[in-house]
Amino acid sequence: MESLHFVIISSLLAGLSMPLGGIIASVERIQPNWLEQEFRHGIIAFGGGALLSAVALVLVPESLDHVGMSMAASMLILGGVAFAFMDYFLAKKQTPAGQLLAMLSDFIPEAMALGAAFATGNGGGLLLAALIALQNLPEGFNAYREIKSNSHVSSIKLILGFAALALLGPLAGSAGYFWLAQQQHLLAAIMMFAAGGILYSVFEDIAPQARLENHWSPPLGAVLGFTLGVVGHYLTSAG
């Protein structure tokens, strides 16, 4: 059961990167204003790059080992369509939660994979937890900015809400540990579904927000975010 303790603690700490990103977003003030704008757009792009790295280096490769091509393609498309419907519903309700949705669609299946990794004795579990935490930090920053700029929710309530969402990490990790470690096909299908949803979110919500007219540094944030994922992938593979 010692491995289960590692799953709970590591997935919770990885989840707490979300409210930490929100805290940073709530206090950062950079002068002059043009630099603050570039910083914010750079963080949005960085989060997008991190999400793409999660798809390309974790969710899809781990899934393809356990499902056939037809199932993989079907779940990718189904995930994209499902997120399109959710995006339409959120737009009708005028709820700015695209970044939040993308963040959770990344965090929950990766936490499940984390639990399964510990259950099967995969030595890369702790490094995967560190990668999840590093991805959640800019995603929490971006989700905070998106919700705060389009709603009247107080900063305290928003950050406490993010902290509550961090509890989904141990729940998802425990599910992966007890159940999905023996149901690799189901875990792979969930991860491919999430990958399709993330791809939709990146190109619908995140990439358009990252662009800043006549500025070229924010897109480099996407490159840095993806590079972070590559480094994390090499480390977890080495583990």
Side-chain angles (χ1 to χ4, degrees):
M1 296 298 287
E2 183 178 355
S3 295
L4 178 60
H5 296 155
F6 278 119
V7 170
I8 293 172
I9 294 171
S10 60
S11 60
L12 178 61
L13 291 176
L16 289 174
S17 290
M18 294 186 290
L20 178 58
I23 291 171
I24 295 172
S26 69
V27 300
E28 60 89 13
R29 288 292 183 275
I30 303 174
Q31 296 299 329
N33 184 64
W34 67 266
L35 183 57
E36 181 177 4
Q37 288 295 318
E38 290 226 3
F39 177 77
R40 292 180 184 179
H41 283 73
I43 291 294
I44 291 172
F46 184 89
L51 283 167
L52 285 176
S53 74
V55 170
L57 302 172
V58 179
L59 298 176
V60 172
E62 293 291 331
S63 301
L64 288 178
D65 290 337
H66 302 287
V67 296
M69 183 57 65
S70 59
M71 173 62 76
S74 299
M75 294 307 295
L76 270 174
I77 294 170
L78 184 60
V81 171
F83 272 62
F85 275 109
M86 283 189 281
D87 201 30
Y88 173 78
F89 175 78
L90 292 173
K92 292 283 286 185
K93 295 289 185 180
Q94 296 185 335
T95 302
Q99 294 268 8
L100 180 63
L101 191 62
M103 178 173 65
L104 292 178
S105 66
D106 172 24
F107 175 49
I108 293 174
E110 285 194 343
M112 290 178 176
L114 174 66
F118 275 107
T120 55
N122 188 327
L126 288 176
L127 288 171
L128 178 58
L131 176 60
I132 297 170
L134 289 173
Q135 290 170 340
N136 281 342
L137 187 65
E139 291 163 20
F141 181 101
N142 294 337
Y144 176 94
R145 282 291 185 187
E146 181 184 43
I147 296 173
K148 189 66 177 175
S149 63
N150 293 280
S151 71
H152 300 292
V153 181
S154 69
S155 297
I156 294 297
K157 288 184 178 179
L158 196 51
I159 291 171
L160 288 177
F162 282 14
L165 291 175
L167 298 176
L168 294 174
L171 292 176
S174 297
Y177 184 88
F178 285 113
W179 183 38
L180 294 175
Q182 289 76 43
Q183 304 286 336
Q184 291 290 332
H185 291 288
L186 179 57
L187 176 61
I190 292 172
M191 292 170 72
M192 290 300 289
F193 180 89
I198 290 171
L199 287 173
Y200 172 85
S201 297
V202 167
F203 289 100
E204 172 64 21
D205 295 319
I206 297 174
Q209 292 185 57
R211 186 174 182 274
L212 190 59
E213 194 70 32
N214 295 324
H215 291 274
W216 297 271
S217 58
L220 291 177
V223 178
L224 292 174
F226 195 89
T227 303
L228 166 69
V230 171
V231 172
H233 176 67
Y234 271 107
L235 290 174
T236 54
S237 298

